[in-house]
Amino acid sequence: NRQVLGRAVRYMSGKGIDQFLDLGSGLPTAQNTHEIAQAINPAARVVYGDNDPLVLAHGRALLQENPQTVVVTADVRRPDTILASPMVAGLLDFTRPIGLILNAVIHHVHDDENPHGIVGTLKDALPAGSYVQLTHFSDAVPESAALERVLMQAVGSGRMRSREEITSFFDGLELVGPGVVFALEWRPEA
């Protein structure tokens, strides 16, 4: 996931995207969205959103010296609240293209929480020329059912979806080649 995130942010940056909304960002590790984007364009702006208090505290501590990057309390299941956040609107210009990052987060949204509606609300807020990066657990391998059971017991979420279900998150958008593939297959660098 970190490798495909890096490839996607570099791709978007190469297409002129200089502002990113990274939801469900998780604990900061090596090669975060802001590090990748700001290495290409030091003026790039990044909003991270997460609902985990540990993630929020750690992210804010690491980024307090970076005025082009903020960490906001955000539950991806409430996209309208995220989009209405003064911190989000204060850093991102929704009249210009944005890179929306949903890396390894939507598979934690249960079917009854309307994951397609969530992604649709976020996509609808993006201006023309924006990009969406989304990774998701797939049921394409025989072990996926067992993995889903483990995730549900250990974490309480982790829904496997079919290629068709995952692809439908991109409805209304033009897919960047090679399209919806396993993470290792999306524009590999090696």
Side-chain angles (χ1 to χ4, degrees), residues 58-139:
H58 190 62
R60 288 176 180 141
L62 285 175
L63 297 170
Q64 65 184 350
E65 302 294 322
N66 186 331
Q68 283 129 239
T69 306
V70 297
V71 179
V72 299
T73 302
D75 186 336
V76 74
R77 293 169 296 191
R78 293 175 181 77
D80 290 325
T81 303
I82 296 167
L83 296 169
S85 165
M87 289 182 74
V88 172
L91 194 65
L92 301 181
D93 178 357
F94 279 83
T95 66
R96 294 179 44 251
I98 293 171
L100 173 62
I101 308 294
L102 297 168
N103 201 51
V105 66
I106 296 300
H107 51 238
H108 291 295
V109 178
H110 299 284
D111 289 343
D112 63 356
E113 295 172 312
N114 193 13
H116 285 87
I118 290 166
V119 174
T121 297
L122 294 166
K123 288 187 317 189
D124 289 347
L126 299 175
S130 294
Y131 288 85
V132 176
Q133 185 262 354
L134 182 149
T135 61
H136 197 294
F137 292 149
S138 170
D139 70 0

